[in-house]
Amino acid sequence: MQQVAIFLYRAIGAGIAIALMEVLARAAEEPLSRVPFVTSIVLVMALPEAEPARSYNVVGGHMLSCLGGLIALWIFGAGDTACAVALGLAVFLMLITGTLHPPAGINAFLIPAYNLPLAWVISPVLVGAVFLVGYKRLWVLGEARVRELELFRKLPVKPDLGPPKLDATTLMRWRPHWPYNRSDR
């Protein structure tokens, strides 16, 4: 149940983060379709310890993806070809610099797709990425506090809701229940 409580805490954090991004987008009069953070929020809130969710990856990935988009836009102009080249360039830049943040790839696509200006890279992208990193850090500190609570420590540690463990023993135990067993032929 402790794991369920942490999952719930992180899910609430993700919901609040997107609500705050929506408020900021409206305040900046930026259409929500051009605010590229929904998948970043999912990643950093659900898996804050994952490498692509590190602060360096979030900010660096979004900035390098924008760079790829701007370069493709300047070379090819707005359009489908620029979108494809931009995404490939963004992935290359993120991989070569160790800043892979897969959700950031949307920036490379949006820039040539909507002919977005350099100012868009600053706001909403840079502002949003820095905001998300700060928000994540505060939420992770809150999670550490939740783990220290007496009520949390009293929760049972099980069930483990992680991915199923599919080793040979487990597979053999389920073999008699498979509909197309070799012994049925």
Side-chain angles (χ1 to χ4, degrees):
M1 293 307 292
Q2 288 182 358
Q3 190 176 29
V4 172
I6 293 301
F7 288 171
L8 181 60
Y9 179 81
R10 290 177 179 180
I12 291 168
I16 293 170
I18 194 61
L20 291 172
M21 286 286 183
E22 289 172 355
V23 168
L24 291 173
R26 283 193 192 99
E29 297 179 359
E30 185 71 37
L32 281 177
S33 62
R34 291 186 357 190
V35 179
F37 292 105
V38 173
T39 52
S40 290
I41 289 169
V42 171
L43 177 61
V44 301
M45 297 308 296
L47 301 170
E49 64 283 340
E51 186 174 343
R54 293 182 314 170
S55 301
Y56 176 72
N57 291 58
V58 173
V59 176
H62 277 285
M63 291 297 95
L64 289 171
S65 183
C66 286
L67 179 62
L70 290 169
I71 290 170
L73 178 63
W74 291 331
I75 293 172
F76 297 100
D80 295 343
T81 301
C83 290
V85 170
L87 186 60
L89 185 55
V91 171
F92 174 75
L93 291 171
M94 287 188 283
L95 287 173
I96 203 162
T97 58
T99 59
L100 184 64
H101 180 68
I106 191 66
N107 299 326
F109 178 84
L110 290 175
I111 289 172
Y114 291 111
N115 197 19
L116 296 173
L118 181 60
W120 184 82
V121 174
I122 304 302
S123 178
V125 180
L126 180 59
V127 171
V130 170
F131 171 80
L132 181 56
V133 165
Y135 178 84
K136 175 196 134 179
R137 286 183 179 219
L138 290 173
W139 204 260
V140 168
L141 288 173
E143 182 178 314
R145 290 290 188 107
V146 167
R147 290 177 185 270
E148 294 172 1
L149 293 173
E150 186 67 31
L151 177 64
F152 179 81
R153 284 191 253 137
K154 287 183 179 180
L155 290 172
V157 175
K158 294 292 178 183
D160 180 12
L161 297 178
K165 314 293 189 273
L166 293 177
D167 56 8
T169 306
T170 304
L171 291 173
M172 292 310 293
R173 187 173 60 232
W174 284 97
R175 188 163 191 237
H177 304 291
W178 291 348
Y180 302 106
N181 201 338
R182 288 183 184 245
S183 62
D184 294 342
R185 292 184 187 178

